[in-house]
């Protein structure tokens, strides 16, 4: 794709703008103003290519592009970019998985060796701790993935997959893993508390969904 056809899409308002560069899926940057977000996105293009190259991803396809020449447009209100509607070729799925793994490897290398105290500490009142940011990635991934679900074809596969992760985590837990109290995000946590909250959270929203079904004029199943 010629650089003249590549577009940076910008959305947001107030003091937060997000700029997306779909010609290089995954390249994104934010700023307090629209112009700042666009400038940051142009810089992020090169930084993202370097990150991928460091993890063995071929970036030859994008090397001829100059982000300084990318056009700028408003992001659609519904979030669906024109590029999002192009048919996916088989090789693009393989490329996505390669990049997806490279990104995660870079993230884990970034936090390797970080102490528990550093993980929990916030640089200032306005900034998340590393743990908050990592948990946001975790929950965000599950939420984004769930957009693929089509009932009843997929049977809420993401919801079920998260359940299996929790089930497996407790299946392999050793007795020593269940002892003691840890401070996570400034609050004391024990394995028993996590077990209780998992069950409470699901039962609470079981009741919530039952109420929604009832409000829609259907009888919840026992």
């Amino acid at each position: 794709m010629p650089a003249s056809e590549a577009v940076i899409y910008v959305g947001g308002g107030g003091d937060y703008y997000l700029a997306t560069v779909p010609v290089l899926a995954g390249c994104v940057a934010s700023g307090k103003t629209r112009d700042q977000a666009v400038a940051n996105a142009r810089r992020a293009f090169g930084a993202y290519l370097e990150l991928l190259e460091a993890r063995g991803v071929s970036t030859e396809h994008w090397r001829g592009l100059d982000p300084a020449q990318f056009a700028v447009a408003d992001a659609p209100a519904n979030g669906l970019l024109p590029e999002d509607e192009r048919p996916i070729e088989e090789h693009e799925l393989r490329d996505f998985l390669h990049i997806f793994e490279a990104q995660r490897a870079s993230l884990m290398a970034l936090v390797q060796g970080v102490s528990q105290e550093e993980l929990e500490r916030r640089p200032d009142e306005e900034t998340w701790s590393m743990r908050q940011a990592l948990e946001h990635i975790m929950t965000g991934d599950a939420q984004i993935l769930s957009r693929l679900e089509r009932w009843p074809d997929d049977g809420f596969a993401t919801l079920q997959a998260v359940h299996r992760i929790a089930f497996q985590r407790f299946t392999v837990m050793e007795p020593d893993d269940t002892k003691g109290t840890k401070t996570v995000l400034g609050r004391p946590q024990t394995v028993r508390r996590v077990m209780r909250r998992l069950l409470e959270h699901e039962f609470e929203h079981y009741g919530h969904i039952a109420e929604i079904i009832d409000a829609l004029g259907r009888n919840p199943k026992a």
Side-chain angles (χ1 to χ4, degrees), residues 31 57 100 133 152 158 162 199:
V57 176
F100 196 50
T158 303
V162 173
L199 296 175

Side-chain angles (χ1 to χ4, degrees), residues 17-219:
Y17 289 82
L18 190 69
T20 302
V21 190
V23 70
L24 176 57
C27 182
V28 66
S30 61
K32 291 187 176 181
T33 66
R34 177 187 172 88
D35 289 345
Q36 186 181 66
V38 170
N40 288 343
R42 297 191 197 279
R43 284 191 292 270
F45 185 83
Y48 191 45
L49 289 180
E50 290 179 7
L51 181 149
L52 297 179
E53 281 186 336
R55 291 291 163 181
V57 176
S58 173
T59 60
E60 190 64 30
H61 178 71
W62 300 285
R63 274 299 169 191
L65 299 179
D66 180 3
Q69 298 181 31
F70 294 174
V72 178
D74 290 335
N78 65 4
L80 187 70
L81 307 182
E83 291 82 350
D84 293 334
E85 299 187 85
R86 289 191 298 107
I88 294 178
E89 299 179 16
E90 185 176 347
H91 76 87
E92 290 182 292
L93 289 175
R94 295 193 300 269
D95 292 346
F96 161 75
L97 291 173
H98 193 187
I99 293 173
F100 196 50
E101 286 293 276
Q103 271 194 331
R104 181 51 52 89
S106 295
L107 175 63
M108 299 313 294
L110 188 64
V111 298
Q112 186 176 11
V114 171
S115 69
Q116 180 70 28
E117 181 183 357
E118 291 172 320
L119 193 72
E120 299 282 351
R121 190 166 63 237
R122 298 174 61 180
D124 54 63
E125 291 185 359
E126 302 298 322
T127 308
W128 282 352
S129 67
M130 280 184 279
R131 184 178 189 107
Q132 286 174 299
L134 291 168
E135 289 200 356
H136 175 74
I137 293 172
M138 176 182 65
T139 56
D141 281 356
Q143 186 177 43
I144 293 168
L145 184 61
S146 72
R147 302 300 187 259
L148 295 176
E149 312 295 6
R150 294 182 60 189
W151 181 263
D153 298 343
D154 294 318
F156 293 109
T158 303
L159 179 70
Q160 296 294 72
V162 173
H163 178 81
R164 287 193 296 272
I165 290 171
F167 187 89
Q168 183 184 36
R169 180 68 180 85
F170 284 94
T171 299
V172 301
M173 188 171 288
E174 298 291 340
D176 285 346
D177 296 334
T178 66
K179 299 176 182 177
T181 302
K182 296 179 181 178
T183 300
V184 178
L185 298 176
R187 303 187 68 184
Q189 302 288 346
T190 65
V191 172
R192 187 178 294 279
R193 180 179 183 178
V194 171
M195 291 163 56
R196 173 175 60 81
R197 285 299 299 134
L198 282 170
L199 296 175
E200 287 175 348
H201 188 245
E202 181 131 342
F203 183 62
E204 175 187 0
H205 291 289
Y206 171 90
H208 180 207
I209 292 171
E211 289 174 359
I212 294 172
I213 292 173
D214 190 49
L216 293 173
R218 297 182 58 191
N219 293 320

